[in-house]
């Protein structure tokens, strides 16, 4: 496994990949920074395309990422993450709608848990899932990062206090 840290407007991102593809994007400025595993080797070269595409995204020049992804998870998690990838740039959906997209309409909490375990945030846009009342809910990078990503995309955001705010 190779890793590096990429600077971004939402703080440093720990990234990791192997020959299969990109395995991890982790918000280092979020509530739980992560240390690379001892066996990982620091090497920026596998992440040049990712760094370029992230820079384009943050410059509002990219809406879809074109990367080889290799997330590891249960079949249910993988199905949830695949459904996340279909949420258009600038759009938001509820956990209930995500559960319907996965084919498990009664599993809102389970898709919420799978969403929270997404190893590839930003690229697999878990930030586009919000509460059914429009509120911003938990996010691995913290709610400020979630709001920043949604505002960057021009999504209508609802504060946790229920007041509409348009980006």
């Amino acid at each position: 496994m190779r890793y590096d840290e990429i600077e971004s407007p939402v703080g440093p991102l720990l990234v990791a990949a192997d020959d299969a593809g990109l395995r991890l994007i982790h918000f280092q400025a979020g509530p739980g920074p992560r240390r690379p595993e001892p066996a990982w080797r620091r090497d920026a070269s596998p992440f040049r395309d990712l760094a370029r595409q992230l820079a384009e995204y943050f410059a509002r020049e990219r809406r879809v990422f074109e990367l080889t992804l290799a997330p590891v998870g249960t079949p249910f998690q993988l199905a949830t993450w695949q459904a996340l990838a279909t949420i258009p740039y600038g759009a938001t959906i509820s956990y209930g709608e995500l559960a319907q997209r996965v084919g498990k309409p009664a599993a809102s909490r389970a898709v919420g848990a799978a969403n929270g375990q997404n190893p590839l945030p930003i690229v697999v846009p878990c930030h586009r899932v919000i509460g059914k009342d429009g509120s911003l809910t938990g996010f691995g990078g913290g709610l400020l990062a979630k709001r920043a990503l949604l505002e960057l995309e021009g999504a209508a955001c609802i504060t946790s206090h229920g007041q509409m705010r348009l980006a």
Side-chain angles (χ1 to χ4, degrees):
M1 188 76 68
R2 293 171 307 278
Y3 80 95
D4 199 19
E5 228 175 64
I6 297 174
E7 290 300 321
S8 82
V10 291
L13 303 169
L14 175 67
V15 296
D18 60 16
D19 292 339
L22 185 63
R23 299 275 187 186
L24 175 75
I25 298 173
H26 187 81
F27 292 91
Q28 294 296 80
R34 180 174 176 175
R35 290 179 186 244
E37 299 292 324
W40 293 4
R41 182 173 50 93
R42 188 158 199 163
D43 179 2
S45 62
F47 306 105
R48 288 188 184 115
D49 198 35
L50 171 63
R52 178 185 55 79
Q53 290 188 39
L54 284 169
E56 292 168 354
Y57 169 79
F58 285 111
R60 293 185 170 106
E61 297 168 354
R62 174 173 292 278
R63 292 177 173 233
V64 176
F65 290 91
E66 298 168 3
L67 301 161
T68 302
L69 308 179
V72 175
T74 67
F76 181 76
Q77 287 173 325
L78 293 169
T80 301
W81 301 335
Q82 188 171 15
L84 289 173
T86 68
I87 304 169
Y89 179 95
T92 58
I93 66 169
S94 69
Y95 290 95
E97 187 175 341
L98 181 59
Q100 288 181 347
R101 289 184 183 194
V102 174
K104 306 274 186 188
S108 294
R109 289 185 185 195
V111 297
N115 190 51
Q117 295 297 311
N118 173 18
L120 299 169
I122 304 174
V123 172
V124 177
C126 53
H127 61 277
R128 296 178 188 155
V129 182
I130 60 175
K132 72 178 178 180
D133 64 355
S135 62
L136 299 187
T137 55
F139 185 63
L143 291 182
L144 290 176
K146 183 172 188 165
R147 175 173 297 285
L149 294 171
L150 290 172
E151 287 179 348
L152 172 82
E153 294 182 9
C157 294
I158 305 289
T159 68
S160 58
H161 299 92
Q163 298 174 351
M164 176 67 84
R165 176 175 170 189
L166 296 177

